[in-house]
Amino acid sequence: MAEADKRLAPVPSASTLDDKEDEIIKPDFDEFADSEHEEDGWYAWLVVLAGCIQAMITLGASRAHGVYQEYYVIDEFAHAPTAAVSWIGSVQNTMLNLCGVFVGILSQIYDTRIMCAAGAFCMGVSFILASFSTQIWQLVLTQGMLYGSAASFPYILGVTVPLQWIRKRRGLALAVVYMGSGVGGMWISMVTRACIDSVGRAWSNRILGLVMMALGVGLAPLIKARRPARRPSKILDFSVVREWRFVFIAAASFFSMGPNTIPYILMPTYVADVLGQSGKLGSTLVTIINVSGIFGRFAAGVLSDRFGPVNMLIIWTLLAAYSQLGIWLPFRSVAASIASAALFGVTGSSIVGMILNALSHQYGVSRITYISGLIYMTYSLSSLGVVQTTTLMLDTVGHGTDYTWPIVYTGLLLVVATVILIVFRIKLSRKLLAFW
């Protein structure tokens, strides 16, 4: 108990980062002392790069789904309710995160490289199957459920395994990994739009499916866990769920990561329905979110290493809320939409990685894949509920064209997350400049 109290003791200032790493992170790394490669070395950053590519083709593809959403709503399923079409993307995002807990369990037993390769292969197959789907329910099963479940393996492993290799610059490492989702969302959205316009939706699915399969399977050998796979004494260990720090992080995750996908989904249709602009502007806004997210993740990683992940998470979440309530909501113009997309890209798209960074600082990295899987499970449930509630608001209260309440709803969820994080930070330490 005394040792546990010591590990939870607040750190007085950002200047004592090295001391905090010695208290919390170093003992966790002792488990990996027999590895053939050292932490923070060249191989460690190679693993980070491989994780970046895996995030690119998984989370990046999910972030680019807004292009498909726009095409389905306006063209292929023009007479179907928006809420019905949105099941494709919401099920995809839900399964991508819900399966995280199962990936975490299996990663304690099986080789992470084999798991990553198998998931990437099935991920490509799912998109190819989606190319032959002509009904919404078929796309929910292929592009939604099958893709999300398969992509969960290279995604969860790609963002958590690198944490076992990096000690000194963990925030920067996570920033590099999650920058892949921004880069992926950028080029995948542009390629998707170009393919749909030139060769049709079906061939766009097939092309992307083959690209995902090639990159995911090809780089899977680098997603090597530094901790050898061994069966734990408890495969299902939910003791961490009762720990107060986990409860706060899970609650913040529920309210902040749920609305994380809304701008990606609604902005492409918003510019067509409200601003009367072409579909290309909608694709451009998705690209802006992803491009600005690259810089946002890098800044979040560097600043988190300097000032603490929880401290920066509060600021980033508050700014994400402002991008919705302070810019997108009151100003109905192309310029405001671009500004909102840019600010949300910098802040909102970085929240996922920052929460994972906060987890690693609170619990170490030996079981980070499993613990993060539990967090991603809360994210998946929130995402499914938020997306469906938002699109239902649009169809009913907004009659398909008034986006006021969906935007208000998204912004208020982020405000609630900010309040939870502030209370969490106060419980960790009342000292304003303490590193947390």
Side-chain angles (χ1 to χ4, degrees):
M1 182 64 69
E3 180 64 23
D5 292 339
K6 179 182 178 181
R7 289 165 62 90
L8 292 177
V11 178
S13 69
S15 63
T16 59
L17 170 58
D18 292 336
D19 294 336
K20 181 175 178 66
E21 286 179 336
D22 289 339
E23 285 183 7
I24 295 180
I25 301 174
K26 186 175 180 180
D28 191 58
F29 268 72
D30 289 343
E31 296 186 38
F32 312 122
D34 59 347
S35 177
E36 59 181 306
H37 299 290
E38 295 183 354
E39 70 268 15
D40 297 314
W42 66 269
Y43 186 86
W45 287 98
L46 197 59
V47 176
V48 171
L49 180 60
C52 174
I53 304 298
Q54 299 294 353
M56 178 190 300
I57 60 173
T58 53
L59 189 59
S62 179
R63 291 293 182 260
H65 181 75
V67 179
Y68 279 114
Q69 172 84 0
E70 176 196 11
Y71 177 78
Y72 292 146
V73 170
I74 296 177
D75 295 298
E76 191 165 347
F77 305 111
H79 300 294
T82 303
V85 176
S86 69
W87 275 104
I88 303 169
S90 58
V91 168
Q92 177 189 105
N93 195 60
T94 297
M95 297 307 296
L96 180 66
N97 294 283
L98 181 62
C99 292
V101 65
F102 303 106
V103 176
I105 293 171
L106 294 174
S107 69
Q108 300 175 92
I109 306 171
Y110 301 107
D111 192 321
T112 54
R113 294 167 293 184
I114 296 175
M115 291 172 57
C116 186
F121 178 81
C122 294
M123 185 173 69
V125 169
S126 68
F127 251 61
I128 294 173
L129 291 176
S131 70
F132 298 101
S133 303
T134 57
Q135 303 294 323
I136 293 177
W137 68 268
Q138 295 172 339
L139 288 165
V140 169
L141 291 178
T142 55
Q143 193 172 356
M145 185 173 293
L146 180 56
Y147 170 81
S149 302
S152 182
F153 284 78
Y155 167 48
I156 300 298
L157 295 172
V159 300
T160 57
V161 169
L163 292 176
Q164 297 181 6
W165 293 91
I166 301 297
R167 176 187 174 192
K168 293 296 185 182
R169 295 290 178 264
R170 190 172 294 172
L172 178 60
L174 272 172
V176 172
V177 169
Y178 273 100
M179 279 167 61
S181 66
V183 174
M186 177 181 63
W187 72 261
I188 291 175
S189 61
M190 291 190 295
V191 168
T192 299
R193 169 55 60 187
C195 287
I196 290 176
D197 291 341
S198 58
V199 296
R201 195 267 299 175
W203 271 105
S204 75
N205 285 139
R206 294 165 194 155
I207 292 170
L208 288 175
L210 291 172
V211 171
M212 292 173 187
M213 190 184 300
L215 289 174
V217 175
L219 290 171
L222 289 174
I223 306 299
K224 176 184 178 183
R226 195 157 183 262
R227 178 185 189 182
R230 61 173 71 97
R231 184 179 292 273
S233 57
K234 281 186 177 181
I235 294 180
L236 288 175
D237 183 6
F238 293 105
S239 60
V240 68
V241 175
R242 298 189 294 270
E243 210 275 326
W244 69 270
R245 293 173 302 171
F246 181 89
V247 172
F248 271 96
I249 295 176
S253 169
F254 185 87
F255 287 101
S256 65
M257 293 163 67
N260 192 263
T261 59
I262 298 302
Y264 293 93
I265 295 175
L266 291 190
M267 276 193 166
T269 55
Y270 172 85
V271 297
D273 294 338
V274 178
L275 303 182
Q277 300 294 320
S278 67
K280 290 185 177 180
L281 178 59
S283 300
T284 300
L285 288 178
V286 174
T287 301
I288 289 173
I289 295 176
N290 286 303
V291 172
S292 58
I294 297 173
F295 300 100
R297 291 179 180 94
F298 180 80
V302 173
L303 292 174
S304 293
D305 283 338
R306 178 67 181 87
F307 299 106
V310 177
N311 294 332
M312 296 312 305
L313 189 54
I314 292 172
I315 297 173
W316 251 235
T317 307
L318 181 61
L319 289 175
Y322 179 75
S323 74
Q324 306 299 291
L325 300 177
I327 302 177
W328 192 10
L329 178 63
F331 304 107
R332 298 189 176 186
S333 65
V334 173
S337 298
I338 293 174
S340 175
L343 181 57
F344 183 83
V346 170
T347 56
S349 61
S350 306
I351 290 175
V352 179
M354 297 175 78
I355 287 178
L356 185 57
N357 191 14
L359 271 178
S360 70
H361 278 78
Q362 295 296 320
Y363 294 101
V365 297
S366 63
R367 301 188 67 207
I368 189 63
T369 303
Y370 175 71
I371 296 175
S372 64
L374 295 174
I375 291 293
Y376 282 121
M377 184 169 63
T378 67
Y379 172 25
S380 66
L381 298 176
S382 172
S383 177
L384 180 62
V386 170
V387 171
Q388 289 306 310
T389 301
T390 303
T391 52
L392 186 62
M393 283 182 180
L394 180 60
D395 285 338
T396 55
V397 180
H399 305 289
T401 57
D402 187 353
Y403 288 69
T404 300
W405 283 108
I407 297 172
V408 170
Y409 177 61
T410 302
L412 288 179
L413 288 174
L414 290 165
V415 170
V416 172
T418 304
V419 174
I420 293 172
L421 288 168
I422 291 173
V423 175
F424 178 49
R425 173 61 177 78
I426 293 173
K427 283 184 67 66
L428 288 172
S429 174
R430 293 180 180 272
K431 296 182 179 181
L432 182 63
L433 299 179
F435 178 94
W436 280 109

